[in-house]
Structures are given as C-alpha cells and as structure tokens.
Amino acid sequence: MFLLLSVCLIAQPAKCHEERINLSYDSPNTFICLRNSQSTLAAWQEEHPDYHVKSWRCAPKGSLPNDL
C-alpha cells in the first residue's frame, strides 16, 4: 500500500505537490492502511514542518491514481 499525501507549503499555500510513502505491508485492505498510517503521517509531518498536509489517503500498489 501507498500513503498518498497532498501537501502545501505553509508560507505559500498555493504551492502544493503529492508525496507517496511506500508502506511496509502489502495488504490490499484500505481500512487497515487507514488505521495504521496515522503514525506514518505524524512522523512525516514532524520531519517536514514547512508543509501542511491538505489531504491524504491509501492506495493499493499497482493502482495509483493520477491525482489525489
């Protein structure tokens, strides 16, 4: 599974991009991903204090959407 983040710079809110975090498990269960990704999301935000996470979701590997 991938954790897909739409992130924007705090200083320039119109400057956004997508981040993809490869999660360590391959379970296609989106509920499990959503439940377990909270700590990954918190760690990413702590490591990137200049960014605001606008939205996020889980996506199975091999079926990534074009946009978040």
Side-chain angles (χ1 to χ4, degrees):
M1 295 291 287
F2 282 102
L3 180 58
L4 306 178
L5 309 175
S6 177
V7 298
C8 303
L9 279 171
I10 292 173
Q12 297 174 328
K15 188 170 183 176
C16 302
H17 70 275
E18 183 180 289
E19 290 282 331
R20 295 179 183 182
I21 300 172
N22 187 0
L23 299 173
S24 61
Y25 52 91
D26 290 325
S27 171
N29 188 321
T30 304
F31 175 75
I32 291 172
C33 177
L34 291 172
R35 184 187 67 198
N36 294 339
S37 63
Q38 297 292 323
S39 60
T40 303
L41 179 60
W44 189 94
Q45 285 205 257
E46 188 172 310
E47 293 171 8
H48 301 85
D50 295 336
Y51 285 91
H52 165 71
V53 176
K54 182 178 173 183
S55 61
W56 62 275
R57 69 184 187 108
C58 292
K61 292 177 182 175
S63 65
L64 291 176
N66 291 333
D67 59 4
L68 190 57

